[in-house]
Amino acid sequence: MTIKNLGVIGLGRLGLCFALTLESAGFNVYGHDIREDHLSQITNKTFNSSEPGVTEKLLKSKNLKVDVNLKNTVDNSDVEIRPSLSILSRTIDLRLSAKWGLTSGE
C-alpha cells in the first residue's frame, strides 16, 4: 500500500511544524486541532510563527487541509500521527496508528 495521505492530530508548535514538513515532502496532509481560531489562521495563511521556516512553509503549502472534526482527518488519511511533547518527562512521544491495524509506540 502506498501512503500518500497523512493525518496529523494536534497542530500546536510541534504538530504544525511536522505537518508542514510532511506537506513540503510531497504528502497530502490532513491536520486536526480543537482550536477553530487557530485552524482559521492556518487555512487563511495568516498564522505567524516564531519557529524558523514555519510561516514560509505555510505560505507555500498547497496540500495541507485542516479540520476541527477528528473523524474527517482520520477518514481522509492513510496513517494518523499524533506528535506530542511531554514537558514533565522531557521526551517526545510519536505515536503512529495505521488503518490496517499496525501500531507503534503503544
Side-chain angles (χ1 to χ4, degrees):
M1 174 181 204
T2 301
I3 297 174
K4 293 184 179 191
N5 303 306
L6 300 176
V8 177
I9 301 168
L11 296 174
R13 289 176 77 177
L14 182 61
L16 182 57
C17 292
F18 192 58
L20 289 168
T21 299
L22 294 170
E23 192 274 342
S24 66
F27 291 97
N28 299 314
V29 178
Y30 297 87
H32 164 74
D33 202 277
I34 60 172
R35 298 169 292 162
E36 292 184 35
D37 58 326
H38 183 58
L39 296 180
S40 178
Q41 289 179 336
I42 293 170
T43 299
N44 296 324
K45 299 185 180 188
T46 58
F47 179 77
N48 288 310
S49 175
S50 60
E51 296 293 323
V54 170
T55 302
E56 294 78 10
K57 282 184 180 180
L58 178 59
L59 291 173
K60 292 178 183 178
S61 68
K62 295 180 182 175
N63 296 309
L64 173 65
K65 295 173 181 60
V66 297
D67 201 319
V68 71
N69 186 326
L70 179 59
K71 184 176 182 335
N72 290 341
T73 300
V74 172
D75 287 348
N76 286 300
S77 60
D78 301 319
V79 174
E80 298 81 44
I81 303 163
R82 186 184 69 187
S84 63
L85 179 61
S86 173
I87 301 299
L88 296 176
S89 63
R90 297 182 186 169
T91 62
I92 296 176
D93 179 22
L94 187 63
R95 297 187 176 134
L96 302 175
S97 64
K99 285 186 178 178
W100 53 88
L102 301 175
T103 60
S104 175
E106 291 297 318

